[in-house]
Amino acid sequence: MKKVLITGAAGFLGSHLCDRFVNEGYYVIAMDNLITGDLKNIEHLFPLEQFEFQHHDVSKFVHIPGKLDYILHFASPASPIDYLKIPIETLKVGSLGTLNLLGLAKEKKARILVASTSEVYGDPLVHPQSEDYYGNVSPIGPRGVYDEAKRFMESITMAYHRFHGVDTRIVRIFNTYGSRMRLNDGRVVPAFMGQALRGEDLTVFGDGSQTRSFCYIDDQVEGIYRLLMSDYTDPINIGNPHETTIKEFAEEIIKLTGTDQKIIYKPLPQDDPMQREPDITRAKEILGWEPKVSRAEGLKKVYEYFKSLSPEELQKKEHREFLTK
């Protein structure tokens, strides 16, 4: 049985990756410090003999005894509400955490896939964004703690690949949605869903003309899996190229949920990107991948998930008190 280490395993994306690799017959070591992740996302896997959980911060030395075939590094706050509250931890997991896991991959001769982000493109001046675009990022802006952590992650990953011959993969993840997202994590899909289910007006930042492209979780996991199993070592965009404005998206949510809330407008946060759409030519050609789930179909599934949450979860405002260093 091949063994895979998944960091950030109790988070939204990490937990779905745990499911996929368990279903593929792997022995899964799930690692998370639970600063933004939640054990309830993976508790259904705890009874399995091929699954184990380690409560650990990858910014500190990581040791896994015995053989290790694959590492998927998904440990990081991923929403603005989180990484703006814990900027130092965000920078540390992207730098020190990545360094520790690359060192582990080198020692074990394991293949490592690191989770980068569309945020490496910043507020893009090129549209749609292809992998050869270098980005438009403010390193000293409030969002820079996430953007630059991921850009450094890519740089050190390529350095380990070129200098040490480590077998590496880099995925640039665009907006993804699905079950197990936190309603209060600040990202647009759970934010709008939560507001609609609570009977609140939907909050749009700016005038709503900024665009996003939303990829359903099953499609995202499939793309990541195909990249890991490929021989391609440069970054690859995985996302849905079907773009929509935030205002149009809010109107879709109101229609889907059958609510009659208004859309209210607030100032746009600093450095918030105005356009976000992946060029997935590379993923199509190299991985034979493109998203299959339409936004209408995916949103129905997510709506059913959020409707199933308890009233307590629906009203929850804060994830937890962060202990900052």
Side-chain angles (χ1 to χ4, degrees), residues 233-246:
T233 56
D234 283 345
I236 283 197
N237 292 335
I238 300 291
N240 193 315
H242 298 290
E243 187 182 19
T244 184
T245 69
I246 295 298

Side-chain angles (χ1 to χ4, degrees), residues 65 79 84 112 315:
S79 68
L84 295 177
I112 180 170
Q315 297 297 331

Side-chain angles (χ1 to χ4, degrees), residues 164 221 239 258:
H164 290 302
V221 167

Side-chain angles (χ1 to χ4, degrees), residues 82-97:
D82 289 338
Y83 59 68
L84 295 177
K85 282 183 178 178
I86 46 172
I88 309 301
E89 287 84 348
T90 301
L91 285 159
K92 284 170 72 176
V93 75
S95 55
L96 298 175

Side-chain angles (χ1 to χ4, degrees), residues 131 223 226 236-242 278-292:
E131 292 88 347
R226 289 193 189 194
I236 283 197
N237 292 335
I238 300 291
N240 193 315
H242 298 290
D279 180 334
I280 62 167
T281 304
R282 195 176 285 187
K284 285 180 179 178
E285 291 176 352
I286 294 166
L287 308 179
W289 177 90
E290 61 182 313
K292 305 291 186 193

Side-chain angles (χ1 to χ4, degrees), residues 103-283:
L104 180 65
K106 177 174 174 278
E107 177 199 345
K108 300 290 184 181
K109 296 181 171 54
R111 179 176 298 176
I112 180 170
L113 181 148
V114 300
S116 188
T117 170
S118 60
E119 296 295 333
V120 299
Y121 301 122
D123 187 6
L125 304 176
V126 169
H127 194 72
Q129 295 83 56
S130 63
E131 292 88 347
D132 54 6
Y133 175 52
Y134 294 155
N136 177 38
V137 175
S138 168
I140 59 170
R143 295 173 72 102
V145 298
Y146 183 68
D147 303 357
E148 295 293 3
K150 294 296 190 180
R151 286 161 71 93
F152 175 82
M153 167 191 273
E154 291 194 12
S155 294
I156 196 169
T157 296
M158 291 308 297
Y160 263 72
H161 173 69
R162 292 180 182 124
F163 189 76
H164 290 302
V166 174
D167 194 8
T168 60
R169 306 288 183 272
I170 300 171
V171 58
R172 288 181 180 162
I173 297 168
F174 281 68
N175 293 68
T176 303
Y177 68 99
S179 60
R180 303 178 193 159
M181 295 189 91
R182 290 198 341 257
L183 270 176
N184 57 353
D185 84 348
R187 286 181 277 195
V188 65
V189 174
F192 283 172
M193 288 280 186
Q195 288 175 325
L197 288 166
R198 290 190 296 266
E200 300 167 1
D201 292 332
L202 272 61
T203 306
V204 168
F205 294 95
D207 62 5
S209 64
Q210 67 270 41
T211 67
R212 295 294 183 270
S213 308
F214 299 101
C215 185
Y216 188 62
I217 182 63
D218 292 356
D219 285 332
Q220 183 64 240
V221 167
E222 177 65 23
I224 291 165
Y225 187 83
R226 289 193 189 194
L227 174 58
L228 180 70
M229 297 306 162
S230 77
D231 294 324
Y232 193 74
T233 56
D234 283 345
I236 283 197
N237 292 335
I238 300 291
N240 193 315
H242 298 290
E243 187 182 19
T244 184
T245 69
I246 295 298
K247 182 177 184 294
E248 289 168 343
F249 188 64
E251 290 165 351
E252 283 181 39
I253 298 294
I254 291 171
K255 184 177 178 182
L256 171 67
T257 57
T259 52
D260 58 357
Q261 283 95 331
K262 301 191 301 293
I263 298 173
I264 58 174
Y265 297 88
K266 292 189 176 180
L268 194 68
Q270 183 180 338
D271 299 330
D272 196 53
M274 289 303 295
Q275 289 184 303
R276 184 69 84 231
E277 179 193 342
D279 180 334
I280 62 167
T281 304
R282 195 176 285 187

